[in-house]
């Protein structure tokens, strides 16, 4: 992951409603959730939900799959794992005493 991609992802996740949406989709796993279900679960009006989903889509943190007249949203686990890897890639490198025992970043999902 490049620095600009990490900044875009962190900016998208740096809003309380978008973080709540993302966490809800992570909990849903690969099955994802329909837009209406997300709005209902988080008590978000349609226009507000749409705005936040667009921001998460733009950042690559979620995907959208049309299913007839509805859209199913899913967390993009590859992207979040890439972000975690980017944030932790230099873990303990400045401390030789712990560098050898520092666990490498691993995929969370």
């Amino acid at each position: 992951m490049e620095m600009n991609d990490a900044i875009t992802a962190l900016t998208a996740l740096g809003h309380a409603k978008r973080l709540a949406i993302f966490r809800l989709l992570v909990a849903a796993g690969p099955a994802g959730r329909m837009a209406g279900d997300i709005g209902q679960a988080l008590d978000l009006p349609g226009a507000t939900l749409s705005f936040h989903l667009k921001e998460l889509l733009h950042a690559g943190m979620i995907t959208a799959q049309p299913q007839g007249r509805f859209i199913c949203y899913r967390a993009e686990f590859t992207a979040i794992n890439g972000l975690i890897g980017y944030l932790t890639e230099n873990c303990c490198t400045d401390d030789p005493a712990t560098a050898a025992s520092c666990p490498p970043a691993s995929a969370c999902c």
Side-chain angles (χ1 to χ4, degrees):
M1 177 171 280
E2 298 293 324
M3 183 189 309
N4 288 338
D5 296 329
I7 291 169
T8 300
L10 290 169
T11 300
L13 294 171
H15 185 282
K17 296 294 183 187
R18 288 192 290 270
L19 184 58
I21 292 166
F22 183 77
R23 289 174 51 90
L24 187 73
L25 293 175
V26 167
R33 291 187 77 155
M34 303 304 273
D37 295 337
I38 297 168
Q40 188 173 34
L42 299 175
D43 195 29
L44 290 173
T48 303
L49 177 63
S50 179
F51 171 78
H52 290 306
L53 289 170
K54 177 184 69 78
E55 292 296 312
L56 290 167
L57 280 165
H58 172 73
M61 293 289 97
I62 64 172
T63 60
Q65 180 184 23
Q67 294 183 352
R69 297 184 317 147
F70 303 101
I71 300 176
C72 183
Y73 291 91
R74 294 179 178 88
E76 182 55 60
F77 293 104
T78 303
I80 196 62
N81 288 335
L83 179 59
I84 292 167
Y86 176 82
L87 293 172
T88 61
E89 70 184 342
N90 296 320
C91 182
C92 303
T93 57
D94 287 345
D95 185 1
T98 60
S101 63
C102 184
S106 62
C108 67
C109 303

XYZ file of all heavy atoms in Angstrom:
789
model
N 0.844 -1.171 0.000
C 0.000 0.000 0.000
C 0.890 1.235 0.000
O 1.903 1.273 0.682
C -0.914 -0.012 1.235
C -1.776 1.224 1.353
S -3.033 1.147 2.637
C -4.286 0.202 1.819
N 0.503 2.218 -0.754
C 1.231 3.476 -0.827
C 0.714 4.442 0.240
O -0.411 4.301 0.725
C 1.041 4.111 -2.210
C 1.571 3.264 -3.352
C 3.076 3.140 -3.328
O 3.761 4.119 -2.964
O 3.575 2.047 -3.652
N 1.517 5.449 0.578
C 1.135 6.395 1.610
C -0.180 7.109 1.272
O -1.048 7.256 2.148
C 2.224 7.443 1.829
C 1.859 8.393 2.972
S 2.911 9.835 3.188
C 4.521 9.148 3.234
N -0.366 7.532 0.032
C -1.598 8.240 -0.327
C -2.830 7.350 -0.181
O -3.896 7.824 0.208
C -1.511 8.808 -1.740
C -0.570 9.990 -1.814
O -0.292 10.643 -0.807
N -0.064 10.269 -2.996
N -2.675 6.063 -0.480
C -3.786 5.123 -0.292
C -4.114 4.974 1.196
O -5.284 4.913 1.579
C -3.450 3.750 -0.887
C -3.264 3.805 -2.390
O -3.906 4.648 -3.044
O -2.469 3.001 -2.900
N -3.082 4.919 2.019
C -3.293 4.806 3.466
C -3.980 6.063 4.000
O -4.893 5.964 4.833
C -1.961 4.584 4.180
N -3.576 7.219 3.516
C -4.203 8.472 3.954
C -5.669 8.499 3.553
O -6.536 8.872 4.360
C -3.438 9.685 3.382
C -2.067 9.790 4.039
C -4.245 10.974 3.569
C -1.138 10.778 3.377
N -5.970 8.081 2.336
C -7.360 8.045 1.880
C -8.189 7.102 2.740
O -9.304 7.422 3.148
C -7.424 7.623 0.397
O -6.686 8.569 -0.377
C -8.851 7.563 -0.112
N -7.646 5.921 3.034
C -8.362 4.938 3.857
C -8.576 5.455 5.275
O -9.679 5.360 5.819
C -7.593 3.618 3.884
N -7.543 6.014 5.858
C -7.662 6.514 7.229
C -8.612 7.711 7.306
O -9.351 7.848 8.281
C -6.283 6.884 7.776
C -5.356 5.698 8.041
C -3.940 6.174 8.322
C -5.886 4.845 9.178
N -8.608 8.537 6.275
C -9.542 9.667 6.232
C -10.970 9.159 6.181
O -11.852 9.664 6.888
C -9.234 10.575 5.022
O -7.904 11.074 5.145
C -10.202 11.731 4.940
N -11.218 8.161 5.352
C -12.571 7.601 5.250
C -13.008 6.967 6.564
O -14.147 7.133 6.992
C -12.632 6.572 4.119
N -12.115 6.263 7.217
C -12.457 5.590 8.469
C -12.440 6.537 9.665
O -12.896 6.175 10.741
C -11.488 4.427 8.715
C -11.579 3.281 7.712
C -10.433 2.299 7.934
C -12.922 2.592 7.778
N -11.929 7.760 9.462
C -11.790 8.723 10.547
C -13.052 9.512 10.863
O -12.980 10.564 11.472
N -14.190 9.023 10.459
C -15.475 9.648 10.775
C -16.304 8.627 11.535
O -16.352 7.447 11.154
C -16.178 10.069 9.483
C -17.435 10.820 9.708
N -18.614 10.203 10.050
C -17.690 12.152 9.667
C -19.545 11.121 10.186
N -19.008 12.322 9.967
N -16.971 9.057 12.584
C -17.684 8.123 13.468
C -18.711 7.272 12.728
O -18.779 6.060 12.943
C -18.354 8.897 14.608
N -19.489 7.864 11.847
C -20.533 7.102 11.135
C -19.908 6.122 10.150
O -20.335 4.980 10.035
C -21.495 8.036 10.396
C -22.296 8.926 11.308
C -23.247 8.116 12.164
C -24.087 9.044 13.024
N -24.908 8.348 13.971
N -18.859 6.561 9.435
C -18.217 5.654 8.475
C -17.508 4.517 9.192
O -17.527 3.377 8.728
C -17.269 6.436 7.568
C -18.014 7.300 6.577
C -17.119 7.842 5.498
N -16.176 8.840 5.938
C -16.406 10.146 5.955
N -17.572 10.626 5.571
N -15.466 10.985 6.333
N -16.902 4.807 10.322
C -16.255 3.743 11.092
C -17.305 2.751 11.587
O -17.091 1.535 11.530
C -15.465 4.327 12.261
C -14.656 3.330 13.087
C -13.654 2.567 12.221
C -13.943 4.047 14.221
N -18.456 3.250 12.014
C -19.537 2.362 12.467
C -20.039 1.488 11.322
O -20.288 0.291 11.498
C -20.682 3.183 13.054
N -20.179 2.073 10.131
C -20.606 1.306 8.950
C -19.584 0.225 8.644
O -19.931 -0.944 8.430
C -20.806 2.230 7.730
C -22.002 3.156 7.945
C -20.976 1.407 6.448
C -22.075 4.311 6.956
N -18.313 0.604 8.634
C -17.261 -0.354 8.314
C -17.235 -1.493 9.323
O -17.155 -2.666 8.957
C -15.896 0.337 8.232
C -14.807 -0.592 7.828
C -14.669 -0.982 6.510
C -13.934 -1.117 8.766
C -13.680 -1.876 6.126
C -12.941 -1.999 8.400
C -12.818 -2.380 7.078
N -17.327 -1.173 10.603
C -17.309 -2.209 11.636
C -18.521 -3.129 11.517
O -18.409 -4.339 11.722
C -17.233 -1.577 13.023
C -15.859 -0.953 13.309
C -15.814 -0.198 14.631
N -16.307 -0.974 15.749
C -15.555 -1.765 16.527
N -14.270 -1.872 16.291
N -16.093 -2.414 17.525
N -19.657 -2.580 11.149
C -20.857 -3.392 10.933
C -20.632 -4.365 9.781
O -21.006 -5.538 9.855
C -22.046 -2.475 10.644
C -23.411 -3.133 10.553
C -23.893 -3.556 11.937
C -24.404 -2.165 9.934
N -19.978 -3.888 8.723
C -19.711 -4.752 7.570
C -18.642 -5.791 7.864
O -18.711 -6.912 7.364
C -19.340 -3.907 6.346
C -20.471 -3.042 5.803
C -19.982 -2.144 4.677
C -21.632 -3.909 5.344
N -17.682 -5.444 8.683
C -16.675 -6.427 9.108
C -17.366 -7.538 9.898
O -17.108 -8.722 9.686
C -15.555 -5.766 9.938
C -14.696 -6.804 10.643
C -14.691 -4.886 9.047
N -18.269 -7.147 10.787
C -19.001 -8.147 11.582
C -19.856 -9.041 10.694
O -20.027 -10.229 10.986
C -19.875 -7.449 12.625
N -20.372 -8.494 9.603
C -21.223 -9.279 8.690
C -20.410 -10.311 7.910
O -20.968 -11.282 7.403
C -21.949 -8.351 7.724
N -19.106 -10.097 7.792
C -18.262 -11.032 7.059
C -18.504 -10.970 5.565
O -19.037 -9.985 5.047
N -18.151 -12.029 4.848
C -18.257 -12.039 3.389
C -19.683 -11.892 2.863
O -19.879 -11.483 1.725
C -17.685 -13.401 2.985
C -16.920 -13.881 4.146
C -17.514 -13.241 5.363
N -20.673 -12.207 3.671
C -22.064 -12.084 3.225
C -22.460 -10.628 3.039
O -23.311 -10.308 2.214
C -23.002 -12.759 4.219
N -21.842 -9.725 3.796
C -22.160 -8.314 3.699
C -23.549 -7.998 4.223
O -24.203 -8.834 4.852
N -23.997 -6.783 3.951
C -25.333 -6.341 4.366
C -25.920 -5.450 3.295
O -25.199 -4.717 2.620
C -25.268 -5.580 5.680
C -24.916 -6.513 6.845
C -25.012 -5.830 8.147
N -26.407 -5.696 8.553
C -26.791 -5.572 9.801
N -25.896 -5.595 10.771
N -28.052 -5.418 10.117
N -27.218 -5.491 3.181
C -27.918 -4.638 2.239
C -27.952 -3.218 2.794
O -27.945 -3.000 4.008
C -29.342 -5.148 2.005
C -29.400 -6.584 1.505
S -28.460 -6.837 0.002
C -29.684 -6.398 -1.200
N -27.996 -2.237 1.885
C -27.957 -0.832 2.290
C -29.053 -0.505 3.295
O -28.798 0.158 4.305
C -28.063 0.065 1.060
N -30.259 -0.950 3.045
C -31.367 -0.673 3.960
C -31.131 -1.234 5.347
O -31.481 -0.597 6.350
N -30.524 -2.409 5.421
C -30.215 -3.033 6.711
C -29.169 -2.217 7.474
O -29.241 -2.079 8.695
C -29.708 -4.458 6.527
C -30.755 -5.390 5.954
O -31.963 -5.089 6.087
O -30.367 -6.417 5.369
N -28.196 -1.685 6.729
C -27.155 -0.862 7.356
C -27.787 0.394 7.942
O -27.535 0.758 9.092
C -26.052 -0.495 6.340
C -25.334 -1.746 5.835
C -25.049 0.479 6.959
C -24.447 -1.508 4.626
N -28.611 1.065 7.135
C -29.261 2.280 7.591
C -30.131 2.048 8.807
O -30.133 2.838 9.759
N -30.854 0.944 8.798
C -31.733 0.620 9.921
C -30.917 0.291 11.174
O -31.239 0.755 12.265
C -32.635 -0.553 9.550
C -33.706 -0.834 10.567
C -34.668 -1.900 10.068
O -34.277 -2.822 9.349
N -35.930 -1.771 10.446
N -29.872 -0.485 11.010
C -29.050 -0.886 12.160
C -28.376 0.314 12.821
O -28.202 0.335 14.040
C -27.998 -1.905 11.733
N -28.010 1.309 12.016
C -27.283 2.463 12.546
C -28.148 3.711 12.651
O -27.640 4.785 12.976
C -26.041 2.734 11.687
C -25.022 1.596 11.647
C -23.897 1.920 10.680
C -24.481 1.317 13.031
N -29.446 3.563 12.341
C -30.392 4.677 12.408
C -29.909 5.866 11.569
O -29.839 6.996 12.042
C -30.637 5.099 13.860
C -31.867 5.983 13.996
O -32.793 5.845 13.176
O -31.889 6.826 14.926
N -29.564 5.576 10.309
C -29.095 6.609 9.381
C -30.114 6.804 8.271
O -30.549 5.833 7.654
C -27.757 6.202 8.747
C -26.538 6.185 9.656
C -25.347 5.590 8.912
C -26.220 7.584 10.128
N -30.483 8.058 7.980
C -31.365 8.306 6.844
C -30.658 7.945 5.534
O -29.425 7.957 5.454
C -31.654 9.806 6.915
C -30.832 10.366 8.006
C -30.133 9.244 8.715
N -31.436 7.647 4.501
C -30.886 7.187 3.232
C -29.829 8.093 2.617
O -28.787 7.626 2.162
N -30.079 9.401 2.597
C -29.116 10.323 1.977
C -27.802 10.352 2.745
O -26.717 10.364 2.146
C -29.711 11.724 1.901
N -27.883 10.333 4.057
C -26.668 10.333 4.884
C -25.900 9.035 4.688
O -24.677 9.044 4.519
C -27.033 10.516 6.371
O -27.765 11.729 6.520
C -25.807 10.541 7.253
N -26.606 7.922 4.704
C -25.978 6.616 4.495
C -25.294 6.568 3.136
O -24.150 6.137 3.022
C -27.011 5.494 4.609
C -26.497 4.083 4.329
C -25.441 3.671 5.355
C -27.649 3.107 4.313
N -25.983 7.026 2.117
C -25.440 7.024 0.763
C -24.135 7.821 0.692
O -23.160 7.389 0.070
C -26.472 7.599 -0.201
O -25.960 7.627 -1.504
N -24.110 8.980 1.320
C -22.906 9.810 1.341
C -21.735 9.056 1.969
O -20.629 9.026 1.423
C -23.170 11.119 2.097
C -21.937 11.925 2.344
C -21.379 12.693 1.334
C -21.305 11.899 3.580
C -20.224 13.426 1.554
C -20.153 12.629 3.810
C -19.605 13.405 2.791
N -21.974 8.448 3.124
C -20.895 7.752 3.826
C -20.451 6.491 3.086
O -19.254 6.185 3.029
C -21.321 7.425 5.257
C -21.435 8.643 6.119
N -20.422 9.558 6.277
C -22.470 9.100 6.870
C -20.802 10.521 7.088
N -22.062 10.274 7.455
N -21.383 5.765 2.497
C -21.023 4.582 1.702
C -20.162 4.988 0.506
O -19.192 4.306 0.172
C -22.275 3.845 1.240
C -23.050 3.101 2.335
C -24.391 2.624 1.794
C -22.240 1.950 2.900
N -20.496 6.105 -0.117
C -19.714 6.595 -1.266
C -18.273 6.883 -0.856
O -17.330 6.538 -1.585
C -20.366 7.849 -1.837
C -19.601 8.477 -2.994
C -20.223 9.764 -3.456
C -20.107 10.875 -2.467
N -18.854 11.563 -2.353
N -18.094 7.479 0.305
C -16.749 7.784 0.781
C -15.950 6.510 1.055
O -14.766 6.419 0.724
C -16.815 8.650 2.046
C -17.336 10.043 1.799
C -16.444 10.856 0.893
O -15.211 10.878 1.118
O -16.973 11.460 -0.059
N -16.581 5.523 1.659
C -15.908 4.250 1.931
C -15.590 3.506 0.640
O -14.532 2.874 0.522
C -16.763 3.384 2.864
C -16.861 3.886 4.306
C -17.972 3.153 5.057
C -15.530 3.714 5.024
N -16.503 3.580 -0.328
C -16.252 2.965 -1.638
C -15.066 3.630 -2.326
O -14.185 2.952 -2.864
C -17.490 3.071 -2.530
C -18.594 2.055 -2.291
C -19.880 2.502 -2.971
C -18.164 0.686 -2.793
N -15.046 4.953 -2.312
C -13.958 5.707 -2.943
C -12.601 5.345 -2.331
O -11.594 5.254 -3.035
C -14.214 7.209 -2.817
C -13.068 8.052 -3.257
N -12.725 8.206 -4.581
C -12.169 8.780 -2.545
C -11.662 8.982 -4.663
N -11.309 9.342 -3.449
N -12.587 5.109 -1.024
C -11.348 4.755 -0.336
C -10.973 3.291 -0.525
O -9.887 2.870 -0.128
C -11.478 5.064 1.157
N -11.871 2.495 -1.111
C -11.588 1.078 -1.327
C -11.770 0.222 -0.085
O -11.331 -0.927 -0.062
N -12.425 0.757 0.927
C -12.618 0.015 2.162
C -13.816 -0.930 2.104
O -13.910 -1.855 2.913
C -12.800 0.973 3.345
C -11.563 1.779 3.677
S -10.253 0.772 4.428
C -9.223 0.389 3.044
N -14.726 -0.693 1.158
C -15.885 -1.566 0.986
C -16.121 -1.777 -0.504
O -15.587 -1.049 -1.343
C -17.166 -0.994 1.650
C -17.596 0.312 0.987
C -16.963 -0.824 3.150
C -18.951 0.832 1.474
N -16.922 -2.785 -0.814
C -17.358 -3.027 -2.188
C -18.881 -3.022 -2.207
O -19.522 -3.187 -1.171
C -16.855 -4.384 -2.723
O -17.361 -5.427 -1.888
C -15.339 -4.434 -2.761
N -19.422 -2.805 -3.387
C -20.873 -2.785 -3.561
C -21.239 -3.733 -4.689
O -20.611 -3.718 -5.749
C -21.349 -1.376 -3.893
N -22.244 -4.559 -4.453
C -22.702 -5.494 -5.473
C -24.212 -5.340 -5.644
O -24.976 -5.653 -4.722
C -22.378 -6.930 -5.077
C -22.845 -7.935 -6.109
C -22.600 -9.361 -5.657
O -22.480 -9.641 -4.476
N -22.528 -10.260 -6.614
N -24.638 -4.845 -6.812
C -26.081 -4.738 -7.055
C -26.740 -6.113 -7.051
O -26.197 -7.070 -7.586
C -26.170 -4.100 -8.440
C -24.834 -3.489 -8.683
C -23.853 -4.327 -7.920
N -27.882 -6.185 -6.413
C -28.683 -7.411 -6.398
C -30.121 -6.992 -6.692
O -30.895 -6.720 -5.778
C -28.569 -8.124 -5.050
C -27.177 -8.647 -4.779
C -27.077 -9.408 -3.470
O -27.989 -9.454 -2.667
N -25.924 -10.021 -3.263
N -30.423 -6.928 -7.977
C -31.731 -6.423 -8.389
C -31.804 -4.934 -8.132
O -30.936 -4.184 -8.535
N -32.826 -4.511 -7.405
C -32.984 -3.089 -7.086
C -32.204 -2.681 -5.845
O -32.202 -1.511 -5.470
C -34.464 -2.758 -6.860
C -35.317 -2.964 -8.091
C -36.758 -2.545 -7.866
N -37.267 -2.983 -6.572
C -38.152 -2.313 -5.853
N -38.633 -1.175 -6.287
N -38.578 -2.781 -4.702
N -31.547 -3.610 -5.203
C -30.861 -3.345 -3.947
C -29.355 -3.493 -4.137
O -28.896 -4.053 -5.128
C -31.357 -4.295 -2.860
C -32.845 -4.203 -2.657
C -33.683 -5.155 -3.211
C -33.394 -3.163 -1.942
C -35.061 -5.072 -3.041
C -34.762 -3.062 -1.763
C -35.602 -4.020 -2.324
N -28.599 -3.010 -3.168
C -27.140 -3.107 -3.225
C -26.645 -3.737 -1.931
O -27.017 -3.304 -0.838
C -26.480 -1.729 -3.424
C -26.965 -1.101 -4.726
C -24.953 -1.872 -3.427
C -26.451 0.301 -4.963
N -25.796 -4.752 -2.089
C -25.165 -5.405 -0.945
C -23.751 -4.828 -0.798
O -22.987 -4.782 -1.757
C -25.095 -6.916 -1.166
S -24.392 -7.798 0.242
N -23.437 -4.401 0.401
C -22.114 -3.838 0.697
C -21.334 -4.826 1.542
O -21.882 -5.499 2.413
C -22.251 -2.507 1.437
C -22.807 -1.424 0.558
C -24.173 -1.191 0.491
C -21.965 -0.655 -0.238
C -24.691 -0.198 -0.333
C -22.479 0.329 -1.061
C -23.836 0.558 -1.102
O -24.345 1.524 -1.929
N -20.032 -4.895 1.250
C -19.136 -5.802 1.980
C -17.856 -5.071 2.352
O -17.377 -4.233 1.582
C -18.774 -7.003 1.116
C -19.942 -7.913 0.808
C -19.512 -9.083 -0.085
N -20.638 -9.957 -0.329
C -21.506 -9.791 -1.331
N -21.361 -8.797 -2.190
N -22.516 -10.638 -1.475
N -17.291 -5.413 3.503
C -15.977 -4.901 3.878
C -14.957 -5.482 2.904
O -15.050 -6.647 2.512
C -15.645 -5.290 5.310
N -13.994 -4.670 2.532
C -12.919 -5.116 1.636
C -11.744 -5.531 2.526
O -10.899 -4.713 2.888
C -12.533 -3.989 0.674
C -11.468 -4.348 -0.322
C -11.810 -5.583 -1.135
O -12.828 -5.598 -1.835
O -11.009 -6.540 -1.051
N -11.735 -6.815 2.896
C -10.745 -7.306 3.853
C -9.319 -7.193 3.328
O -8.394 -6.949 4.101
C -11.068 -8.741 4.262
C -12.348 -8.835 5.057
C -13.508 -9.308 4.466
C -12.387 -8.425 6.367
C -14.686 -9.379 5.194
C -13.557 -8.487 7.106
C -14.718 -8.962 6.513
N -9.120 -7.334 2.045
C -7.780 -7.187 1.480
C -7.253 -5.784 1.709
O -6.080 -5.595 2.063
C -7.796 -7.510 -0.030
O -8.306 -8.829 -0.213
C -6.408 -7.408 -0.636
N -8.109 -4.790 1.546
C -7.698 -3.400 1.737
C -7.365 -3.119 3.199
O -6.350 -2.470 3.497
C -8.796 -2.457 1.255
N -8.190 -3.588 4.110
C -7.915 -3.314 5.524
C -6.658 -4.057 5.967
O -5.857 -3.541 6.747
C -9.119 -3.610 6.438
C -8.934 -2.945 7.811
C -9.362 -5.070 6.614
C -8.853 -1.465 7.816
N -6.444 -5.261 5.469
C -5.216 -5.979 5.798
C -3.999 -5.259 5.231
O -2.945 -5.208 5.860
C -5.281 -7.416 5.302
C -6.229 -8.261 6.130
O -6.479 -7.969 7.289
N -6.778 -9.296 5.528
N -4.148 -4.676 4.042
C -3.064 -3.883 3.459
C -2.761 -2.658 4.301
O -1.595 -2.284 4.494
N -3.808 -2.020 4.813
C -3.622 -0.845 5.664
C -2.931 -1.231 6.971
O -1.991 -0.563 7.406
C -4.977 -0.185 5.956
C -4.952 1.040 6.858
C -4.083 2.149 6.269
C -6.370 1.530 7.107
N -3.365 -2.325 7.576
C -2.722 -2.796 8.811
C -1.245 -3.117 8.547
O -0.368 -2.753 9.329
C -3.461 -4.015 9.389
C -4.839 -3.590 9.897
C -2.649 -4.677 10.509
C -5.765 -4.745 10.210
N -0.978 -3.771 7.423
C 0.404 -4.081 7.064
C 1.238 -2.831 6.865
O 2.381 -2.748 7.321
N 0.665 -1.827 6.206
C 1.368 -0.568 5.982
C 1.686 0.113 7.317
O 2.787 0.618 7.518
C 0.537 0.365 5.100
C 1.165 1.722 4.916
C 2.170 1.910 3.967
C 0.776 2.804 5.689
C 2.764 3.148 3.809
C 1.362 4.042 5.537
C 2.355 4.210 4.598
O 2.947 5.439 4.444
N 0.720 0.131 8.221
C 0.903 0.804 9.500
C 1.897 0.095 10.407
O 2.518 0.721 11.267
C -0.443 0.931 10.224
C -1.463 1.851 9.560
C -2.810 1.733 10.262
C -0.981 3.293 9.541
N 2.068 -1.198 10.226
C 2.927 -1.965 11.134
C 4.192 -2.514 10.475
O 4.943 -3.244 11.126
C 2.139 -3.142 11.748
O 1.692 -4.006 10.706
C 0.964 -2.647 12.573
N 4.463 -2.147 9.225
C 5.584 -2.763 8.515
C 6.940 -2.495 9.160
O 7.867 -3.277 8.994
C 5.602 -2.343 7.047
C 5.969 -0.906 6.797
C 5.873 -0.544 5.324
O 5.849 -1.456 4.479
O 5.806 0.645 5.030
N 7.077 -1.427 9.896
C 8.361 -1.121 10.541
C 8.324 -1.356 12.045
O 9.123 -0.797 12.788
C 8.753 0.334 10.255
C 8.997 0.557 8.784
O 9.582 -0.279 8.114
N 8.522 1.672 8.270
N 7.446 -2.221 12.471
C 7.268 -2.487 13.891
C 8.586 -2.918 14.535
O 9.241 -3.860 14.077
C 6.205 -3.572 14.076
S 5.847 -3.950 15.793
N 8.970 -2.209 15.565
C 10.125 -2.541 16.414
C 11.478 -2.432 15.712
O 12.485 -2.888 16.270
C 9.971 -3.929 17.027
S 8.465 -4.123 17.998
N 11.549 -1.867 14.532
C 12.832 -1.823 13.823
C 13.857 -0.917 14.504
O 15.056 -1.101 14.292
C 12.661 -1.374 12.357
O 12.025 -0.094 12.339
C 11.858 -2.377 11.566
N 13.423 0.028 15.320
C 14.354 0.911 16.012
C 14.802 0.363 17.364
O 15.610 0.972 18.048
C 13.723 2.295 16.222
C 13.630 3.081 14.924
O 14.296 2.704 13.942
O 12.874 4.071 14.901
N 14.279 -0.774 17.749
C 14.618 -1.370 19.036
C 15.150 -2.782 18.807
O 14.390 -3.747 18.794
C 13.387 -1.399 19.943
C 13.696 -1.895 21.347
O 14.878 -2.202 21.642
O 12.744 -1.988 22.138
N 16.476 -2.914 18.623
C 17.048 -4.241 18.333
C 16.723 -5.293 19.385
O 16.628 -6.473 19.071
C 18.557 -3.990 18.290
C 18.716 -2.521 18.104
C 17.494 -1.873 18.690
N 16.508 -4.889 20.615
C 16.222 -5.852 21.678
C 14.884 -6.547 21.458
O 14.721 -7.711 21.821
C 16.234 -5.153 23.038
N 13.929 -5.862 20.880
C 12.614 -6.472 20.674
C 12.340 -6.820 19.227
O 11.376 -7.521 18.948
C 11.492 -5.538 21.182
O 11.562 -4.312 20.461
C 11.601 -5.294 22.662
N 13.169 -6.346 18.311
C 12.922 -6.578 16.885
C 12.840 -8.061 16.553
O 12.003 -8.479 15.752
C 13.991 -5.902 16.042
N 13.672 -8.873 17.155
C 13.685 -10.303 16.845
C 12.419 -11.004 17.330
O 11.970 -11.975 16.724
C 14.911 -10.961 17.458
N 11.834 -10.508 18.419
C 10.652 -11.168 18.949
C 9.356 -10.475 18.522
O 8.268 -10.925 18.868
C 10.717 -11.199 20.478
O 10.706 -9.886 20.990
N 9.466 -9.401 17.780
C 8.279 -8.678 17.335
C 7.554 -9.489 16.266
O 8.135 -9.876 15.256
C 8.674 -7.321 16.756
S 7.273 -6.307 16.289
N 6.275 -9.784 16.503
C 5.547 -10.585 15.512
C 5.315 -9.775 14.237
O 5.025 -8.585 14.304
C 4.237 -10.901 16.205
C 4.053 -9.809 17.209
C 5.434 -9.384 17.618
N 5.482 -10.375 13.095
C 5.213 -9.665 11.857
C 3.729 -9.369 11.722
O 2.895 -10.080 12.296
C 5.683 -10.635 10.769
C 5.597 -11.973 11.413
C 5.863 -11.755 12.885
N 3.424 -8.318 10.985
C 2.013 -8.008 10.718
C 1.403 -9.187 9.967
O 1.999 -9.730 9.052
C 1.908 -6.741 9.903
N 0.250 -9.586 10.387
C -0.416 -10.691 9.709
C -1.817 -10.272 9.328
O -2.369 -9.332 9.887
C -0.465 -11.923 10.612
O -1.214 -11.638 11.766
N -2.376 -10.963 8.382
C -3.730 -10.665 7.952
C -4.698 -10.941 9.092
O -4.634 -11.989 9.725
C -4.085 -11.513 6.731
N -5.572 -9.973 9.343
C -6.499 -10.157 10.453
C -7.720 -10.961 10.033
O -8.384 -11.550 10.863
C -6.923 -8.815 11.027
S -7.914 -7.815 9.928
N -8.044 -10.942 8.775
C -9.253 -11.616 8.333
C -8.989 -12.433 7.083
O -8.262 -12.058 6.237
C -10.328 -10.593 8.023
S -10.701 -9.520 9.422
